[in-house]
Amino acid sequence: QNFLSKTYDCVVAMHVIEHLYNPIKTLSEIYRILTQGGIFIAIVPCVTHIKARINGKRWKYYHAPGHLWHFSPETFRLLLSKVNLQPVSMFSFYNRAHLKTIAKKID
């Protein structure tokens, strides 16, 4: 708890959550430090993405030691709800997503 509560308007986690041993602890901390109306932007690999479905177990994001968690939109939404984060928008796009691409989709 090195950050003051409710002080950040935006927190970004690009390809982070799937690597955490305890994502609920981290997401709870993100919720704590976000201002009311603050935005949490996350990118995680999606197991229902077309590349995951086509490649099956050969999909590059299935393999350890890198990814400890695998999410679909439904399971990620459930994870967020456990810490009171409410999705405003969820979408799937190519695997080299950049913040500029996300910003265009949020507008």
Side-chain angles (χ1 to χ4, degrees), residues 23-54:
I24 290 178
K25 180 179 178 183
T26 300
L27 291 171
S28 295
E29 179 67 1
I30 289 169
Y31 179 77
R32 184 185 70 78
I33 67 173
L34 276 174
T35 58
Q36 185 173 353
I39 297 171
F40 171 53
I41 298 172
I43 297 175
V44 296
C46 178
V47 296
T48 60
H49 188 276
I50 187 69
K51 287 185 178 183
R53 293 183 308 192
I54 289 171

Side-chain angles (χ1 to χ4, degrees), residues 8-26:
Y8 292 89
D9 294 323
C10 183
V11 174
V12 178
M14 297 175 69
H15 295 283
V16 172
I17 306 302
E18 68 272 17
H19 296 276
L20 301 174
Y21 287 108
N22 190 343
I24 290 178
K25 180 179 178 183
T26 300

